Amino acid sequence: MLEFHKPFTVKDGEIYDRDGKYVKLWGVNYYTPFNHNYINLEEVGADHFRAIDRDIEHFKQIGVNFVRMHVYDREISDQEGHLVHNHRLQVMDYLLYRLEQEEIYLMMTPIVWFNSIELERNLNSNYAFWSINSCETFGFSNFYTAHEMIWNEDAIQAQETYLDEFFAHKNTYCNKRLYEFENIAIIEVNNEAIYPTA
């Protein structure tokens, strides 16, 4: 049974759960399904799923009860924002499943906007012969600046498509949608959004 119960609220700079209990979480950023960490595990021939199991075992040993994960939307979406069902998404599903099993809370950011090492590596290796089709995924946020993600109508439509499909997605390992995970404590929709100032 999870120690704290959603929803969490903030009062005078402190977090409380729905029962009024003071929430104290200690955690780490964790990115095995995405970007550098995903690539690094591939490079050493490690199994992503076993790596997650091992890391969670270590988390439990040192008392980590909170994980923050940025979802690299460029690695699991297409130009229009449709969710791409690939190995990274499977690894993310497994991570969510295992974190809930071990009662570790999670903060997710579905749109991170940043480029990924996989896309950079593909661009560099193919250089003059590169095309969108050279990549397994070339997500919607590749086509808009961070500023445009807030006001550009096409960018907003792509984000809506992506978020609709992301939240409707059923986890491969437990058939739950995100809102059914008791351990997901925080959703930060767009990481470090840049808002117009004038």
Side-chain angles (χ1 to χ4, degrees):
M1 181 68 147
L2 289 164
E3 182 179 0
F4 305 110
H5 303 101
K6 297 185 299 185
F8 294 169
T9 57
V10 178
K11 182 178 180 184
D12 298 325
E14 295 184 338
I15 303 171
Y16 296 90
D17 74 0
R18 73 171 178 230
D19 302 322
K21 187 175 181 181
Y22 174 67
V23 175
K24 187 174 182 180
L25 301 172
W26 186 61
V28 296
N29 285 338
Y30 189 72
Y31 302 104
T32 295
F34 302 104
N35 205 22
H36 291 81
N37 294 135
Y38 181 90
I39 298 297
N40 295 151
L41 287 166
E42 271 189 345
E43 288 172 339
V44 298
D47 180 287
H48 294 85
F49 304 100
R50 299 303 65 83
I52 287 170
D53 288 337
R54 186 187 63 244
D55 290 341
I56 288 176
E57 183 180 321
H58 293 159
F59 292 165
K60 298 293 279 187
Q61 289 171 356
I62 61 175
V64 166
N65 63 352
F66 183 72
V67 167
R68 179 181 184 223
M69 180 181 63
H70 292 87
V71 177
Y72 277 71
D73 51 276
R74 295 178 188 213
E75 296 182 332
I76 59 167
S77 70
D78 67 13
Q79 183 175 350
E80 289 80 33
H82 296 290
L83 196 63
V84 174
H85 295 264
N86 59 16
H87 190 253
R88 285 177 171 83
L89 188 64
Q90 285 182 320
V91 175
M92 184 191 81
D93 279 353
Y94 187 72
L95 174 61
L96 298 182
Y97 166 69
R98 291 291 291 120
L99 289 174
E100 185 181 49
Q101 278 188 323
E102 296 298 331
E103 299 185 348
I104 295 173
Y105 290 94
L106 177 66
M107 173 182 174
M108 292 183 76
T109 305
I111 299 173
V112 73
W113 184 81
F114 302 131
N115 202 2
S116 73
I117 192 170
E118 177 69 18
L119 296 179
E120 283 293 327
R121 190 166 68 173
N122 192 294
L123 177 62
N124 290 337
S125 66
N126 291 308
Y127 188 54
F129 303 102
W130 182 88
S131 74
I132 289 174
N133 297 326
S134 302
C135 302
E136 178 190 18
T137 60
F138 199 73
F140 64 91
S141 63
N142 283 292
F143 298 91
Y144 308 101
T145 65
H147 292 272
E148 285 182 297
M149 297 292 280
I150 299 301
W151 58 264
N152 181 297
E153 291 293 331
D154 293 332
I156 291 168
Q157 179 58 59
Q159 289 173 88
E160 287 177 358
T161 299
Y162 169 72
L163 290 169
D164 284 346
E165 294 183 19
F166 187 78
F167 285 101
H169 168 69
K170 287 189 175 182
N171 187 289
T172 308
Y173 300 93
C174 60
N175 212 34
K176 289 184 177 182
R177 292 187 172 97
L178 287 182
Y179 66 86
E180 296 175 293
F181 283 86
E182 286 298 316
N183 65 319
I184 297 180
I186 303 166
I187 300 284
E188 174 194 33
V189 176
N190 191 331
N191 182 63
E192 298 179 11
I194 300 174
Y195 297 99
T197 56

